[in-house]
Amino acid sequence: MKLNEIRDNAGAHYRFKRIGRGIGSGKGKTSGRGGKGQTARTGVALNGFEGGQTPLHRRLPKRGFTNAPFRKEFHEVNLGRLQAAVESGRLKADATVDGAALVAAGLLRRVRHGIRLLAKGEITAALKITVAGASKAAIAAVEKAGGKVELPPKPVAEAA
């Protein structure tokens, strides 16, 4: 092989679009920027600008509340994934399955605010599972397989 024979893989390098090179190129004259004015120049900042009229985001009142910064985000784990992890040897059937065990097994990257167990898939291993929440169908399926699901105690509302 010689230096003049070296080529990139086919399709790996796109030929750049030559703009402003005549009307026949399809990107001539205004180079695909339309007419004159602000939008033909660089550094255009027109998001939400309405020609001097008060923009919509300032005309409408600010209302409501979002709980997004404080929302609890739970990881959802299906029974089928737990069964597959037991069969592959990543989870031990006799050990307690909790957030730390799922992270160690590679099923989750991090625990966040907790884990919610869902009933998609089949489970045959008798697992003792400790999670923040579980669907009724998931609890029934685990107990049918001979396992147990432990949930945190529900907070009791104080009487005023």
Side-chain angles (χ1 to χ4, degrees):
M1 177 180 282
K2 299 187 180 99
L3 283 176
N4 65 331
E5 294 174 352
I6 295 175
R7 294 278 179 271
D8 210 339
N9 295 332
H13 185 76
Y14 291 102
R15 186 174 173 183
F16 82 102
K17 189 168 285 185
R18 299 182 72 218
I19 58 176
R21 291 295 178 272
I23 198 166
S25 69
K27 286 277 186 247
K29 193 180 174 216
T30 53
S31 303
R33 287 181 172 267
K36 297 182 281 186
Q38 184 179 10
T39 52
R41 318 280 194 252
T42 57
V44 177
L46 290 179
N47 286 344
F49 183 69
E50 298 184 22
Q53 171 178 297
T54 306
L56 184 68
H57 63 87
R58 287 182 57 203
R59 289 198 305 269
L60 298 178
K62 289 191 280 188
R63 285 180 57 90
F65 168 75
T66 178
N67 202 33
F70 309 104
R71 177 177 57 221
K72 290 192 182 304
E73 294 195 17
F74 294 97
H75 279 292
E76 292 149 1
V77 176
N78 287 306
L79 294 177
R81 287 190 65 200
L82 290 179
Q83 182 62 36
V86 169
E87 289 170 0
S88 66
R90 293 191 291 170
L91 278 177
K92 291 184 175 64
D94 55 349
T96 301
V97 177
D98 57 357
L102 293 174
V103 171
L107 269 71
L108 299 177
R109 189 177 293 168
R110 64 185 67 84
V111 177
R112 280 196 195 143
H113 296 113
I115 296 152
R116 183 155 166 77
L117 189 66
L118 301 179
K120 187 175 181 183
E122 300 280 326
I123 190 159
T124 56
L127 297 173
K128 184 180 176 192
I129 304 169
T130 306
V131 288
S135 67
K136 289 179 182 175
I139 294 172
V142 170
E143 289 174 351
K144 183 181 174 187
K148 186 179 176 189
V149 177
E150 288 185 4
L151 300 172
K154 291 186 178 178
V156 179
E158 295 181 24

